[in-house]
Amino acid sequence: MGIGIRIENLRKVYNSPPPSVAGGRGFSFGPTRSSGGRKEKKKKIEILALDGVSLEIPAGEIFGLLGPNGAGKSTTIGILTTRTEPTSGRVFVGEFDVWKQQVKAKRVIGVVPQRPNLDFALTTREVLLFHGAYFGQSARERARRADEQLEKFKLTDRAGQMVRELSGGLMQRLSIARAMMHDPEVLFLDEPSAGLDPQTRLMLWEIVRGYGSLGKTIVLTTHYMDEADELCQRLAIIDHGKIIAQGTPRELKSSIPGGYVLRVRFDRAPEELLRQLRELPGVTEVHSTDPTAADIYADRGGPLIGPIVNAAQAAGAELHDVHIQEPSLENLFLHHTGRSLRE
C-alpha cells in the first residue's frame, strides 16, 4: 500500500565557528591568546536551519519542497535520510522512527543527494551492481535490475565506462538510477534537475511520474517553479527554516491576492503615489519594497500600466520600469517574503 512520511516539530541548529585567526600570523589551529597571555574564548555561532517544521506526506504522493538556497530543504532531506541528526523533533518513514530505527528506515528509501557521490574507481554498471549487493540482491537479480536501469536512463552504451569519465549530467542520471536500483518505497530527490540539459530533465520528469504511478512516495527539493508545478501533487514552500505555505499547486497559486504581480520602479515612490496605486481598479495590495519601488498585486497585468503611469504623473513621479508576473508559485513566495525564490 506504500509508505508515507511524518515530520513532527523538526528543529535543527548548526554550530559552525569560523577558524581562529591570529593577528598578522595567518590561520591558527590552536586557541588564540590576547596580548596579556590569556586564552580568548571562541565565539560560538549558531545557525538555525529548521525551526519547528511539521509535515505529513501520504503514501504514494509526489511531494515538493520549494525554497531558495539555505532555506532548509536539504537539511530536511538529510534528517529524513539519516545523514543529518536533528536537534529536536521526530521523523517517521512509514512505521519507522528514522533516528531510532536507522537500518530499517534505510532499507525502504532511495536517496539522490544534491551532489553526486559516485565511486570514480568503478564503471557505470559496477556502481549499480554494488548498490544492489548492499541491499541483498542476488547476483542474477542485480544483473537484471542493472540492465533495466541502464536502459531506462539511456546509459547502456556507457555501461563499461569509468564514472570519472562521465559528464556531470550523466553522473546525475547514474545517481538517480542507483537510488532506484533496490526499488525503494520512498525516493528522495535533492535538486535532481541541477546541471541537467532540457532533454534529460524532461526524461527525468517522465521517470518520476512513472515511479509515482507505482504507488511510491517521492519527495523532491527544487527551486524550479515549472518542475514543482509539473510534477508535484502537493508541495510546501520553506524559507528561513519555516513552512510558509503548503497545498496543491493550484491551491497555492489561487491564494495569491489578485494573482498578478507588477513589480514597478519609479524615480521616487512617495506615500501619495502608493495610496493612489492602492485605489486603482483591480488592485488588491501594494507593498513598498524600497523608496523607489513597489509590488502591486492585481487581477490583471498589462491593462494596469496606463493607470500606473497616470498615478505616477499625478504624484510628481516618473515610471522607470515595469515587470509583470502572471499567477505562479514564484509570486506566492514573493507575496509571503517580499523576495524571489532565487534570491
Side-chain angles (χ1 to χ4, degrees), residues 14-61:
Y14 288 104
N15 297 316
S16 56
S20 301
V21 179
R25 297 198 304 267
F27 288 99
S28 168
F29 296 95
T32 58
R33 294 179 180 274
S34 66
S35 57
R38 292 176 300 174
K39 290 183 180 178
E40 292 182 352
K41 291 183 179 179
K42 289 182 181 179
K43 192 172 182 180
K44 187 176 181 181
I45 292 181
E46 291 190 345
I47 300 172
L48 181 60
L50 294 176
D51 188 11
V53 169
S54 294
L55 281 174
E56 193 148 345
I57 303 171
E61 185 170 77

Side-chain angles (χ1 to χ4, degrees), residues 225 229 252-253 256 259 325-333:
M225 298 302 97
D229 214 349
L252 291 175
K253 285 187 288 187
I256 306 167
Q325 296 177 328
E326 295 184 357
S328 68
L329 297 175
E330 179 85 13
N331 290 356
L332 177 74
F333 190 82

